[in-house]
Amino acid sequence: MRLAVISDIHGNLEAFREVLLDIEGCRIDTVVCLGDTIGYGPEPEQALALIRQRNIPSVMGNHELAVKDPKQLTWFNPRARKSLKMTAKLLSADSIDYIMRLKPFLNDHRCRFVHGFPPDSATRYLFQASKEELIDVFNQMKEQRCFIGHTHTLEIVEFDGHSVKHSPLTQAIVRLKKNHHYIINIGSVGQPRDGDNHAKYVIWDSSSDSIEVRFVPYDIAGVVQKIQAAGLPQEHALRLL
């Protein structure tokens, strides 16, 4: 089975469409989304509509969580808070209902899928966890492979049963070790923050137990113009460049 895992689209419909086109050319059997389909970008309603149209299962991201529970807005910095308030006004009743029903995690295909940090956090970042905490999570987690987003960066954490090892993920294919456990941070479709502005996602091939990182070009200038025209914070546009 070939599974595409996407995350952090953030209302960037142009990037999302190009990623879906790339997925169509990669012999993919199924797609899973790790949340934050909305926020920052100019077309959250259209991005959510496409997720629903394609029947892509998704978990709750921290941006969806803030729409579901406005008290969560205090967690965000002022610019992100402003963006989320504007985003909520762009969403249809159907999209709001969809967000309300999102789950904090999914487990399927012998994998766990969560936005921020296992087992089920939409808000905690991977870099906030100590090695001791990571070891504890790995020991408690039944699944050998866990996919996360949230940081907008690429990283893989490996657990051999005794210690953890952090490694960067690059535009390559990485073979996973049979008896090791992994947390795989898959980067961002709509707003990468790793120094490369391509849209990013990963493919997990269960037969070879390998991870392939895909870098996908899209019309960045067009999205920048849309963000500016929508009156969203300028920082959201600059981060794409």
Side-chain angles (χ1 to χ4, degrees), residues 59-239:
V59 301
M60 178 82 72
N62 58 301
H63 283 248
E64 285 91 5
L65 183 60
V67 171
K68 180 178 181 179
D69 178 11
K71 293 178 182 177
Q72 298 291 328
L73 284 169
T74 59
W75 185 87
F76 293 85
N77 67 54
R79 290 179 298 277
R81 197 178 306 133
K82 175 184 177 182
S83 175
L84 267 168
K85 289 179 179 178
M86 295 175 69
T87 293
K89 294 178 181 178
L90 296 173
L91 299 178
S92 65
D94 285 345
S95 288
I96 295 292
D97 179 66
Y98 169 81
I99 286 171
M100 293 294 184
R101 292 183 285 107
L102 287 173
K103 297 178 180 179
F105 73 94
L106 296 171
N107 46 9
D108 202 359
H109 315 293
R110 296 176 288 111
C111 300
R112 177 167 289 257
F113 305 93
V114 59
H115 180 69
F117 190 77
D120 58 6
S121 177
T123 57
R124 192 168 193 210
Y125 290 100
L126 175 61
F127 59 74
Q128 292 177 314
S130 66
K131 286 189 175 181
E132 293 74 19
E133 289 173 305
L134 282 166
I135 289 172
D136 186 52
V137 164
F138 276 120
N139 281 326
Q140 293 184 42
M141 193 164 53
K142 295 179 181 178
E143 302 86 0
Q144 279 190 287
R145 282 72 177 112
C146 177
F147 293 91
I148 65 170
H150 197 31
T151 69
H152 299 209
T153 57
L154 293 161
E155 185 180 6
I156 188 165
V157 184
E158 179 181 357
F159 179 58
D160 62 4
H162 304 285
S163 61
V164 295
K165 176 185 176 183
H166 293 256
S167 302
L169 274 178
T170 58
Q171 192 175 7
I173 296 176
V174 178
R175 291 291 185 105
L176 305 181
K177 297 174 184 176
K178 184 177 179 180
N179 296 319
H180 290 202
H181 290 66
Y182 294 88
I183 295 174
I184 300 148
N185 197 338
I186 70 164
S188 170
V189 169
Q191 196 185 91
R193 297 178 188 171
D194 55 6
D196 183 292
N197 59 11
H198 287 82
K200 300 181 182 73
Y201 75 99
V202 304
I203 297 170
W204 177 56
D205 190 316
S206 65
S207 60
S208 62
D209 203 6
S210 63
I211 297 294
E212 178 182 1
V213 181
R214 302 285 295 180
F215 284 42
V216 182
Y218 70 95
D219 181 12
I220 294 173
V223 180
V224 167
Q225 290 178 353
K226 288 181 180 180
I227 289 173
Q228 293 171 335
L232 291 161
Q234 178 73 358
E235 180 186 49
H236 302 344
L238 297 177
R239 276 180 170 171

Side-chain angles (χ1 to χ4, degrees), residues 24-43:
E24 288 172 5
C26 289
R27 300 180 291 106
I28 298 301
D29 297 299
T30 189
V31 183
V32 175
C33 178
L34 304 183
D36 273 11
T37 299
I38 63 170
Y40 299 136
E43 296 176 281

